[in-house]
Amino acid sequence: MNGFGKSSLCPSVPAFLLVAMLAANAHAADVTVSIQYADEPKREVAERLVSELSSEGYVVESRAADEPIPCDASGAKPVSIGAGAKAWIRLGEDASGETVVATICYLGSLPFLQQASSSAPKSDPRKLALAAVEALNGLRSRVPPPAPEPTRTTGDTRPAEQIGKGPTLPSAGSRLENSVTLGGAVMLNAPDFPVVPAVTTGASLGINSSVALFLDALWPVGGVEVSSPEVTATVRTAWLRVGPRLRWTAGDFDLSGAALAGPALSWATAVAEPPRAGGADVTAGAVLTVKALIEYPRRSSIFAVLSVSASALLPGVRVELADDASEPLGAWPLEASVGLGVRWGGGS
């Protein structure tokens, strides 16, 4: 009987946590946050900030503007905002131009404004978004929300001043970026096989703003020919690889690196002079790869991609040409490719 009493308490714990989360989001929903950014390079930071604030329950407006906010010494006076508290965030840069600064202004029930600021490198918009949300939450914890406005008398027919809303930007955090590519490649299978042309294709499936699952495949257009006086062999190698891809940005370029692994298939056909006989052979193995990619432009739906990679082929491809001849070996594929891609989702 004591066992029933113990288990009956378990459902109350997640129920209490759910009620607490709903209450916190409901309180944040009373606060409307207006985000201003001056130029297009800061749009990605604004989108990330919209995502983080929305996840906290705030009502968020975002627009491209370079206007004073109430916390500016020469800014406009605060206007009537009804019963909802109001916060303003303006995105700018420091003197070096490498750091984005978020100036945060919050109006609660006190007769003056509360102000804070957060900063982070341009290359890490998520870090700035998290710091800005934490700073705003800190201001709200020190300042209670404003009391409701008194009821208007019948003689007061003036409408309350409204704060204009700009277009709301879509949240980049809620949409993961994906892409597919198709291109041509050249592959050198060191140490003994010459260069061969190939077709390569790839797909990137976003996990978050910095990490993706990357898949790619290579198929040879022609074969590598190795020969001796008695035998001429044509060798081809294809593979499919998958692994994590880490991404970062540099201006209009999307840079990334990937560690990949997957199955590989090598096959050879041989033509021999009598008395030797020709034939065919197929070898299955694995390929391990490190790969670097550059995509341009990074905010376009259609982009160019350049990649280079170095691989280890297990086992290496070895061709027996004659009893007394050395056996050409291909165990270290080096690959370079160029192509076009299409991306969707994310901030594009």
Side-chain angles (χ1 to χ4, degrees):
M1 293 180 65
N2 290 338
F4 287 104
K6 183 178 180 180
S7 63
S8 64
L9 296 177
C10 295
S12 65
V13 175
F16 172 78
L17 295 176
L18 178 61
V19 171
M21 292 173 60
L22 292 175
N25 283 341
H27 183 54
D30 293 335
V31 181
T32 301
V33 182
S34 177
I35 301 173
Q36 296 182 14
Y37 58 96
D39 48 35
E40 188 64 20
K42 298 183 188 65
R43 178 181 173 185
E44 182 178 354
V45 181
E47 291 175 347
R48 173 61 65 176
L49 191 50
V50 169
S51 174
E52 295 295 340
L53 288 168
S54 298
S55 68
E56 291 284 325
Y58 291 96
V59 178
V60 188
E61 307 165 358
S62 178
R63 58 175 178 163
D66 188 14
E67 301 171 354
I69 61 176
C71 283
D72 292 338
S74 59
K77 295 181 179 180
V79 297
S80 171
I81 59 171
K86 181 72 178 181
W88 296 262
I89 300 178
R90 183 175 59 200
L91 300 176
E93 296 179 352
D94 65 355
S96 68
E98 298 299 322
T99 301
V100 180
V101 179
T103 302
I104 305 162
C105 183
Y106 175 66
L107 174 63
S109 63
L110 299 181
F112 52 86
L113 295 160
Q114 302 291 303
Q115 186 171 2
S117 65
S118 301
S119 61
K122 279 184 176 180
S123 60
D124 196 350
R126 183 174 183 271
K127 180 178 179 181
L128 178 66
L130 292 175
V133 171
E134 182 178 352
L136 178 56
N137 288 339
L139 293 179
R140 293 183 61 235
S141 67
R142 297 196 298 267
V143 182
E149 290 185 344
T151 305
R152 296 181 182 273
T153 64
T154 55
D156 186 1
T157 59
R158 293 174 300 169
E161 296 182 67
Q162 300 291 328
I163 296 180
K165 292 185 179 181
T168 300
L169 295 176
S171 167
S174 62
R175 297 179 297 152
L176 300 176
E177 183 172 294
N178 308 300
S179 64
V180 293
T181 60
L182 178 66
V186 290
M187 181 185 67
L188 170 67
N189 197 358
D192 297 326
F193 289 176
V195 172
V196 61
V199 174
T200 183
T201 184
S204 184
L205 308 176
I207 297 175
N208 58 38
S209 60
S210 302
V211 181
L213 179 65
F214 186 69
L215 303 93
D216 81 344
L218 178 139
W219 186 267
V221 174
V224 175
E225 286 195 357
V226 289
S227 63
S228 71
E230 296 86 4
V231 179
T232 298
T234 303
V235 184
R236 297 174 174 85
T237 300
W239 56 59
L240 174 67
R241 304 175 292 197
V242 62
R245 176 184 183 182
L246 300 179
R247 306 175 56 181
W248 61 97
T249 60
D252 288 332
F253 293 89
D254 188 302
L255 312 178
S256 60
L260 309 171
L265 186 67
S266 299
W267 65 99
T269 55
V271 177
E273 297 291 336
R276 296 180 61 90
D281 188 29
V282 177
T283 302
V287 61
L288 306 176
T289 303
V290 290
K291 187 168 188 173
L293 303 96
I294 302 176
E295 297 177 356
Y296 176 87
R298 69 181 182 89
R299 298 196 64 86
S300 174
S301 299
I302 300 176
F303 58 91
V305 58
L306 173 68
S307 70
V308 293
S309 67
S311 305
L313 195 58
L314 306 172
V317 180
R318 190 180 295 273
V319 181
E320 181 182 350
L321 296 176
D323 294 336
D324 57 348
S326 61
E327 299 178 353
L329 173 66
W332 307 101
L334 304 175
E335 173 196 348
S337 68
V338 61
L340 293 175
V342 177
R343 68 164 60 93
W344 64 96
S348 61

PDB file of all heavy atoms in Angstrom, residues 316-343:
ATOM      1  N   GLY A 316      43.719   0.045 -50.150  1.00  0.00           N
ATOM      2  CA  GLY A 316      44.127   0.749 -51.350  1.00  0.00           C
ATOM      3  C   GLY A 316      43.962  -0.121 -52.585  1.00  0.00           C
ATOM      4  O   GLY A 316      43.925  -1.357 -52.513  1.00  0.00           O
ATOM      5  N   VAL A 317      43.836   0.538 -53.730  1.00  0.00           N
ATOM      6  CA  VAL A 317      43.669  -0.188 -54.996  1.00  0.00           C
ATOM      7  C   VAL A 317      45.043  -0.593 -55.518  1.00  0.00           C
ATOM      8  O   VAL A 317      45.928   0.247 -55.694  1.00  0.00           O
ATOM      9  CB  VAL A 317      42.937   0.695 -56.031  1.00  0.00           C
ATOM     10  CG1 VAL A 317      42.779  -0.073 -57.341  1.00  0.00           C
ATOM     11  CG2 VAL A 317      41.586   1.130 -55.499  1.00  0.00           C
ATOM     12  N   ARG A 318      45.238  -1.882 -55.760  1.00  0.00           N
ATOM     13  CA  ARG A 318      46.512  -2.401 -56.285  1.00  0.00           C
ATOM     14  C   ARG A 318      46.214  -3.254 -57.520  1.00  0.00           C
ATOM     15  O   ARG A 318      45.306  -4.092 -57.496  1.00  0.00           O
ATOM     16  CB  ARG A 318      47.228  -3.221 -55.223  1.00  0.00           C
ATOM     17  CG  ARG A 318      48.665  -3.591 -55.589  1.00  0.00           C
ATOM     18  CD  ARG A 318      49.302  -4.405 -54.480  1.00  0.00           C
ATOM     19  NE  ARG A 318      49.440  -3.646 -53.260  1.00  0.00           N
ATOM     20  CZ  ARG A 318      50.467  -2.867 -52.951  1.00  0.00           C
ATOM     21  NH1 ARG A 318      51.447  -2.747 -53.848  1.00  0.00           N
ATOM     22  NH2 ARG A 318      50.528  -2.218 -51.824  1.00  0.00           N
ATOM     23  N   VAL A 319      46.978  -3.027 -58.603  1.00  0.00           N
ATOM     24  CA  VAL A 319      46.738  -3.722 -59.865  1.00  0.00           C
ATOM     25  C   VAL A 319      47.958  -4.574 -60.214  1.00  0.00           C
ATOM     26  O   VAL A 319      49.085  -4.062 -60.280  1.00  0.00           O
ATOM     27  CB  VAL A 319      46.438  -2.730 -61.007  1.00  0.00           C
ATOM     28  CG1 VAL A 319      46.177  -3.483 -62.308  1.00  0.00           C
ATOM     29  CG2 VAL A 319      45.250  -1.850 -60.646  1.00  0.00           C
ATOM     30  N   GLU A 320      47.739  -5.842 -60.450  1.00  0.00           N
ATOM     31  CA  GLU A 320      48.820  -6.760 -60.862  1.00  0.00           C
ATOM     32  C   GLU A 320      48.879  -6.787 -62.381  1.00  0.00           C
ATOM     33  O   GLU A 320      47.979  -7.292 -63.047  1.00  0.00           O
ATOM     34  CB  GLU A 320      48.568  -8.166 -60.319  1.00  0.00           C
ATOM     35  CG  GLU A 320      49.673  -9.150 -60.684  1.00  0.00           C
ATOM     36  CD  GLU A 320      49.393 -10.550 -60.175  1.00  0.00           C
ATOM     37  OE1 GLU A 320      48.432 -10.712 -59.371  1.00  0.00           O
ATOM     38  OE2 GLU A 320      50.096 -11.476 -60.578  1.00  0.00           O
ATOM     39  N   LEU A 321      49.954  -6.210 -62.934  1.00  0.00           N
ATOM     40  CA  LEU A 321      50.082  -6.101 -64.390  1.00  0.00           C
ATOM     41  C   LEU A 321      50.897  -7.241 -64.989  1.00  0.00           C
ATOM     42  O   LEU A 321      50.630  -7.689 -66.102  1.00  0.00           O
ATOM     43  CB  LEU A 321      50.728  -4.762 -64.755  1.00  0.00           C
ATOM     44  CG  LEU A 321      49.916  -3.525 -64.373  1.00  0.00           C
ATOM     45  CD1 LEU A 321      50.699  -2.267 -64.696  1.00  0.00           C
ATOM     46  CD2 LEU A 321      48.574  -3.522 -65.092  1.00  0.00           C
ATOM     47  N   ALA A 322      51.911  -7.691 -64.277  1.00  0.00           N
ATOM     48  CA  ALA A 322      52.755  -8.776 -64.775  1.00  0.00           C
ATOM     49  C   ALA A 322      53.467  -9.412 -63.597  1.00  0.00           C
ATOM     50  O   ALA A 322      53.585  -8.818 -62.533  1.00  0.00           O
ATOM     51  CB  ALA A 322      53.755  -8.262 -65.815  1.00  0.00           C
ATOM     52  N   ASP A 323      53.970 -10.604 -63.830  1.00  0.00           N
ATOM     53  CA  ASP A 323      54.620 -11.316 -62.730  1.00  0.00           C
ATOM     54  C   ASP A 323      55.847 -10.590 -62.219  1.00  0.00           C
ATOM     55  O   ASP A 323      56.135 -10.580 -61.024  1.00  0.00           O
ATOM     56  CB  ASP A 323      55.017 -12.724 -63.187  1.00  0.00           C
ATOM     57  CG  ASP A 323      53.789 -13.586 -63.486  1.00  0.00           C
ATOM     58  OD1 ASP A 323      52.712 -13.271 -62.929  1.00  0.00           O
ATOM     59  OD2 ASP A 323      53.913 -14.532 -64.276  1.00  0.00           O
ATOM     60  N   ASP A 324      56.591  -9.970 -63.125  1.00  0.00           N
ATOM     61  CA  ASP A 324      57.837  -9.323 -62.736  1.00  0.00           C
ATOM     62  C   ASP A 324      57.715  -7.804 -62.652  1.00  0.00           C
ATOM     63  O   ASP A 324      58.711  -7.098 -62.530  1.00  0.00           O
ATOM     64  CB  ASP A 324      58.949  -9.695 -63.713  1.00  0.00           C
ATOM     65  CG  ASP A 324      58.581  -9.315 -65.140  1.00  0.00           C
ATOM     66  OD1 ASP A 324      57.394  -8.987 -65.370  1.00  0.00           O
ATOM     67  OD2 ASP A 324      59.463  -9.355 -66.020  1.00  0.00           O
ATOM     68  N   ALA A 325      56.485  -7.248 -62.780  1.00  0.00           N
ATOM     69  CA  ALA A 325      56.303  -5.792 -62.770  1.00  0.00           C
ATOM     70  C   ALA A 325      55.812  -5.339 -61.401  1.00  0.00           C
ATOM     71  O   ALA A 325      55.170  -6.097 -60.666  1.00  0.00           O
ATOM     72  CB  ALA A 325      55.297  -5.381 -63.840  1.00  0.00           C
ATOM     73  N   SER A 326      56.134  -4.095 -61.068  1.00  0.00           N
ATOM     74  CA  SER A 326      55.619  -3.518 -59.825  1.00  0.00           C
ATOM     75  C   SER A 326      54.112  -3.323 -59.949  1.00  0.00           C
ATOM     76  O   SER A 326      53.580  -3.169 -61.049  1.00  0.00           O
ATOM     77  CB  SER A 326      56.304  -2.179 -59.533  1.00  0.00           C
ATOM     78  OG  SER A 326      56.031  -1.264 -60.577  1.00  0.00           O
ATOM     79  N   GLU A 327      53.427  -3.343 -58.806  1.00  0.00           N
ATOM     80  CA  GLU A 327      51.974  -3.220 -58.795  1.00  0.00           C
ATOM     81  C   GLU A 327      51.582  -1.782 -58.458  1.00  0.00           C
ATOM     82  O   GLU A 327      51.829  -1.318 -57.340  1.00  0.00           O
ATOM     83  CB  GLU A 327      51.371  -4.183 -57.769  1.00  0.00           C
ATOM     84  CG  GLU A 327      51.667  -5.635 -58.069  1.00  0.00           C
ATOM     85  CD  GLU A 327      51.108  -6.561 -57.016  1.00  0.00           C
ATOM     86  OE1 GLU A 327      50.607  -6.045 -55.991  1.00  0.00           O
ATOM     87  OE2 GLU A 327      51.148  -7.783 -57.202  1.00  0.00           O
ATOM     88  N   PRO A 328      50.997  -1.043 -59.407  1.00  0.00           N
ATOM     89  CA  PRO A 328      50.573   0.335 -59.101  1.00  0.00           C
ATOM     90  C   PRO A 328      49.588   0.348 -57.928  1.00  0.00           C
ATOM     91  O   PRO A 328      48.700  -0.506 -57.826  1.00  0.00           O
ATOM     92  CB  PRO A 328      49.904   0.797 -60.396  1.00  0.00           C
ATOM     93  CG  PRO A 328      50.482  -0.086 -61.455  1.00  0.00           C
ATOM     94  CD  PRO A 328      50.728  -1.405 -60.794  1.00  0.00           C
ATOM     95  N   LEU A 329      49.750   1.353 -57.056  1.00  0.00           N
ATOM     96  CA  LEU A 329      48.927   1.443 -55.849  1.00  0.00           C
ATOM     97  C   LEU A 329      48.216   2.795 -55.801  1.00  0.00           C
ATOM     98  O   LEU A 329      48.814   3.841 -56.072  1.00  0.00           O
ATOM     99  CB  LEU A 329      49.809   1.280 -54.605  1.00  0.00           C
ATOM    100  CG  LEU A 329      49.128   1.509 -53.255  1.00  0.00           C
ATOM    101  CD1 LEU A 329      48.082   0.433 -52.997  1.00  0.00           C
ATOM    102  CD2 LEU A 329      50.163   1.531 -52.129  1.00  0.00           C
ATOM    103  N   GLY A 330      46.933   2.772 -55.437  1.00  0.00           N
ATOM    104  CA  GLY A 330      46.176   4.004 -55.189  1.00  0.00           C
ATOM    105  C   GLY A 330      45.506   3.911 -53.837  1.00  0.00           C
ATOM    106  O   GLY A 330      44.550   3.151 -53.665  1.00  0.00           O
ATOM    107  N   ALA A 331      46.019   4.657 -52.847  1.00  0.00           N
ATOM    108  CA  ALA A 331      45.500   4.557 -51.476  1.00  0.00           C
ATOM    109  C   ALA A 331      45.161   5.905 -50.849  1.00  0.00           C
ATOM    110  O   ALA A 331      44.535   5.947 -49.790  1.00  0.00           O
ATOM    111  CB  ALA A 331      46.508   3.833 -50.582  1.00  0.00           C
ATOM    112  N   TRP A 332      45.551   7.006 -51.503  1.00  0.00           N
ATOM    113  CA  TRP A 332      45.366   8.335 -50.906  1.00  0.00           C
ATOM    114  C   TRP A 332      44.709   9.275 -51.925  1.00  0.00           C
ATOM    115  O   TRP A 332      45.380  10.074 -52.564  1.00  0.00           O
ATOM    116  CB  TRP A 332      46.711   8.914 -50.450  1.00  0.00           C
ATOM    117  CG  TRP A 332      47.463   7.985 -49.544  1.00  0.00           C
ATOM    118  CD1 TRP A 332      48.504   7.174 -49.872  1.00  0.00           C
ATOM    119  CD2 TRP A 332      47.203   7.769 -48.152  1.00  0.00           C
ATOM    120  NE1 TRP A 332      48.925   6.462 -48.793  1.00  0.00           N
ATOM    121  CE2 TRP A 332      48.144   6.805 -47.707  1.00  0.00           C
ATOM    122  CE3 TRP A 332      46.283   8.285 -47.239  1.00  0.00           C
ATOM    123  CZ2 TRP A 332      48.170   6.349 -46.400  1.00  0.00           C
ATOM    124  CZ3 TRP A 332      46.318   7.837 -45.947  1.00  0.00           C
ATOM    125  CH2 TRP A 332      47.248   6.886 -45.526  1.00  0.00           C
ATOM    126  N   PRO A 333      43.396   9.200 -52.098  1.00  0.00           N
ATOM    127  CA  PRO A 333      42.718  10.075 -53.071  1.00  0.00           C
ATOM    128  C   PRO A 333      42.756  11.548 -52.652  1.00  0.00           C
ATOM    129  O   PRO A 333      42.438  11.890 -51.506  1.00  0.00           O
ATOM    130  CB  PRO A 333      41.274   9.547 -53.072  1.00  0.00           C
ATOM    131  CG  PRO A 333      41.352   8.175 -52.485  1.00  0.00           C
ATOM    132  CD  PRO A 333      42.480   8.219 -51.502  1.00  0.00           C
ATOM    133  N   LEU A 334      43.140  12.389 -53.586  1.00  0.00           N
ATOM    134  CA  LEU A 334      43.097  13.846 -53.427  1.00  0.00           C
ATOM    135  C   LEU A 334      42.107  14.383 -54.448  1.00  0.00           C
ATOM    136  O   LEU A 334      42.197  14.056 -55.637  1.00  0.00           O
ATOM    137  CB  LEU A 334      44.482  14.460 -53.636  1.00  0.00           C
ATOM    138  CG  LEU A 334      45.600  13.913 -52.750  1.00  0.00           C
ATOM    139  CD1 LEU A 334      46.934  14.523 -53.146  1.00  0.00           C
ATOM    140  CD2 LEU A 334      45.304  14.182 -51.279  1.00  0.00           C
ATOM    141  N   GLU A 335      41.184  15.225 -53.997  1.00  0.00           N
ATOM    142  CA  GLU A 335      40.052  15.626 -54.850  1.00  0.00           C
ATOM    143  C   GLU A 335      39.846  17.134 -54.786  1.00  0.00           C
ATOM    144  O   GLU A 335      39.957  17.744 -53.715  1.00  0.00           O
ATOM    145  CB  GLU A 335      38.791  14.904 -54.371  1.00  0.00           C
ATOM    146  CG  GLU A 335      37.504  15.336 -55.036  1.00  0.00           C
ATOM    147  CD  GLU A 335      36.296  14.862 -54.246  1.00  0.00           C
ATOM    148  OE1 GLU A 335      36.450  14.020 -53.327  1.00  0.00           O
ATOM    149  OE2 GLU A 335      35.192  15.362 -54.529  1.00  0.00           O
ATOM    150  N   ALA A 336      39.539  17.724 -55.926  1.00  0.00           N
ATOM    151  CA  ALA A 336      39.144  19.138 -55.997  1.00  0.00           C
ATOM    152  C   ALA A 336      37.920  19.228 -56.899  1.00  0.00           C
ATOM    153  O   ALA A 336      37.844  18.555 -57.931  1.00  0.00           O
ATOM    154  CB  ALA A 336      40.273  20.008 -56.547  1.00  0.00           C
ATOM    155  N   SER A 337      36.935  20.048 -56.503  1.00  0.00           N
ATOM    156  CA  SER A 337      35.707  20.132 -57.296  1.00  0.00           C
ATOM    157  C   SER A 337      35.174  21.557 -57.294  1.00  0.00           C
ATOM    158  O   SER A 337      35.463  22.355 -56.389  1.00  0.00           O
ATOM    159  CB  SER A 337      34.636  19.182 -56.744  1.00  0.00           C
ATOM    160  OG  SER A 337      34.182  19.618 -55.481  1.00  0.00           O
ATOM    161  N   VAL A 338      34.382  21.866 -58.309  1.00  0.00           N
ATOM    162  CA  VAL A 338      33.681  23.134 -58.407  1.00  0.00           C
ATOM    163  C   VAL A 338      32.286  22.847 -58.944  1.00  0.00           C
ATOM    164  O   VAL A 338      32.107  21.954 -59.781  1.00  0.00           O
ATOM    165  CB  VAL A 338      34.439  24.131 -59.314  1.00  0.00           C
ATOM    166  CG1 VAL A 338      34.566  23.587 -60.734  1.00  0.00           C
ATOM    167  CG2 VAL A 338      33.767  25.495 -59.321  1.00  0.00           C
ATOM    168  N   GLY A 339      31.284  23.581 -58.429  1.00  0.00           N
ATOM    169  CA  GLY A 339      29.922  23.317 -58.869  1.00  0.00           C
ATOM    170  C   GLY A 339      28.959  24.401 -58.441  1.00  0.00           C
ATOM    171  O   GLY A 339      29.363  25.472 -57.979  1.00  0.00           O
ATOM    172  N   LEU A 340      27.677  24.116 -58.592  1.00  0.00           N
ATOM    173  CA  LEU A 340      26.611  25.025 -58.220  1.00  0.00           C
ATOM    174  C   LEU A 340      25.705  24.343 -57.211  1.00  0.00           C
ATOM    175  O   LEU A 340      25.585  23.116 -57.195  1.00  0.00           O
ATOM    176  CB  LEU A 340      25.798  25.459 -59.449  1.00  0.00           C
ATOM    177  CG  LEU A 340      26.498  26.316 -60.486  1.00  0.00           C
ATOM    178  CD1 LEU A 340      25.579  26.552 -61.690  1.00  0.00           C
ATOM    179  CD2 LEU A 340      26.941  27.646 -59.889  1.00  0.00           C
ATOM    180  N   GLY A 341      25.051  25.166 -56.382  1.00  0.00           N
ATOM    181  CA  GLY A 341      24.157  24.612 -55.382  1.00  0.00           C
ATOM    182  C   GLY A 341      22.910  25.451 -55.208  1.00  0.00           C
ATOM    183  O   GLY A 341      22.835  26.602 -55.649  1.00  0.00           O
ATOM    184  N   VAL A 342      21.923  24.857 -54.562  1.00  0.00           N
ATOM    185  CA  VAL A 342      20.672  25.543 -54.235  1.00  0.00           C
ATOM    186  C   VAL A 342      20.434  25.348 -52.736  1.00  0.00           C
ATOM    187  O   VAL A 342      20.548  24.223 -52.225  1.00  0.00           O
ATOM    188  CB  VAL A 342      19.479  24.973 -55.024  1.00  0.00           C
ATOM    189  CG1 VAL A 342      18.185  25.651 -54.615  1.00  0.00           C
ATOM    190  CG2 VAL A 342      19.715  25.126 -56.524  1.00  0.00           C
ATOM    191  N   ARG A 343      20.116  26.443 -52.023  1.00  0.00           N
ATOM    192  CA  ARG A 343      19.842  26.329 -50.597  1.00  0.00           C
ATOM    193  C   ARG A 343      18.456  26.887 -50.280  1.00  0.00           C
ATOM    194  O   ARG A 343      17.921  27.733 -50.999  1.00  0.00           O
ATOM    195  CB  ARG A 343      20.909  27.065 -49.779  1.00  0.00           C
ATOM    196  CG  ARG A 343      20.920  28.552 -49.913  1.00  0.00           C
ATOM    197  CD  ARG A 343      21.728  29.206 -48.789  1.00  0.00           C
ATOM    198  NE  ARG A 343      23.119  28.787 -48.770  1.00  0.00           N
ATOM    199  CZ  ARG A 343      24.105  29.430 -49.388  1.00  0.00           C
ATOM    200  NH1 ARG A 343      23.813  30.493 -50.112  1.00  0.00           N
ATOM    201  NH2 ARG A 343      25.330  29.008 -49.326  1.00  0.00           N
TER     202      ARG A 343
END
